[in-house]
Amino acid sequence: MTTLSEDSSKSSPFRPVTAPSDAARTSAVDRQRELTKPAGSLGRLEKLGEWIASCQDTCPPRSLERVRVVVFAGDHGIAAHGVSAYPPGVTAQMVENIRAGGAAVNVLAAIAGATVRVVDIAVDAETDPTVSAFKVRRSSGSIDREDALSEDEVLAALAAGAAIADEEVDGGADLLIAGDMGIGNTTPATVLIATLTDTEPVAAVGRGTGIDDAGWIRKTAAIRDAMRRARPVAKNPTDLLRVAGGADIAALAGFLAQAAHRRTPVILDGLVVTAAALVAEDGAAGARDWWVAGHRSVEPAHSFALRHLRLEPLVELDMRLGEGSGALAALPLVRAGVDTLNSMATFADAGVSTGDTEAHSSIEDHSTIEDH
């Protein structure tokens, strides 16, 4: 298990973040006008290319060569109280499934051109040493009645997430995707989001892995009780994670904040990852500029979190799996935004006139037909 070093507080990921490059973004916007297409005709794909250019501080941006998915796994004590359709033991089983390449995240990553790493932060079982080097504890506390973590544990989890981000960036990752795996983890995620967005539990609680009405009632009650415990520490991100989060969610927050410090873009996944992002932005102001939202989960709390972060999802496919699956579904769009910006011919290169009003009008008319 990872232990907290004496100077970890000095390198905490919770510190203000430097913004992506305005100059590179401006150059990317200017380049879009030179490409062989009507201005703005690729819509949000253009904005994605401009975003990556600003993150890389270069225009045209480089194609994405090493996209890494990191799935943070952890159990939660609240899962023992009937808030999930699956038993807690499934977390360890799914960690092994991901490690073996058999999960949805592995399939989607192969399609999208990414590689997958799973890390055990707080699984309530012994896992393979290749995934447990950063393990903080076995299962986080049941947040409706006790703190999720001790003070040392929450700091260790934040440090673990930051260290994992450093490892991936140092290994050459040019874009990161954060994923989650843990039975019961939508309960603390909903508590964090509802607390930070001042949302009533009944409006924020979803069905998670597919709970029935009785399970939904139990989950709502647990979230209500956990929110009561969380409110006094809502303005302190570290304390909020300690009281109402969990080791895996704290590690996710550290990972997302540190990725921003390392000037590496991230595609956010669903409810749990975005809950961690919400806390990370509170602790590391400006981190959100380094993220895009991959998708919108059917979990109600996810929409509250996205609105609070002012992030518009790239796709809406009624997904609620986690693992990084929604972000991977959006990854080809990010690649498309980058590669159209860096590989399309300019009007000058292609010998296409921009001064012939009739020809230019014809291009615009064709675009309008295609768009409709």
Side-chain angles (χ1 to χ4, degrees), residues 28-64:
V29 171
D30 291 342
R31 179 174 169 80
Q32 296 283 11
R33 299 191 188 100
E34 300 172 0
L35 301 179
T36 48
K37 60 178 176 58
S41 59
L42 288 179
R44 290 188 69 191
L45 292 184
E46 296 187 13
K47 298 302 180 186
L48 288 171
E50 293 158 14
W51 172 63
I52 292 294
S54 70
C55 292
Q56 293 180 355
D57 194 15
T58 188
C59 181
R62 299 180 297 275
S63 294
L64 299 172

Side-chain angles (χ1 to χ4, degrees), residues 188-258:
T190 303
V191 171
L192 295 173
I193 292 170
T195 299
L196 290 173
T197 62
D198 195 25
T199 302
E200 290 296 321
V202 291
V205 180
R207 298 281 175 168
T209 49
I211 54 175
D212 58 17
D213 289 346
W216 185 88
I217 292 170
R218 289 191 297 271
K219 185 174 181 177
T220 303
I223 288 171
R224 176 203 63 208
D225 292 345
M227 286 179 66
R228 188 177 297 126
R229 301 185 70 256
R231 284 192 186 99
V233 296
K235 295 188 182 300
N236 184 311
T238 301
D239 282 347
L240 182 59
L241 290 166
R242 173 180 59 80
V243 171
D248 51 339
I249 297 177
L252 273 165
F255 176 85
L256 294 171
Q258 187 66 9

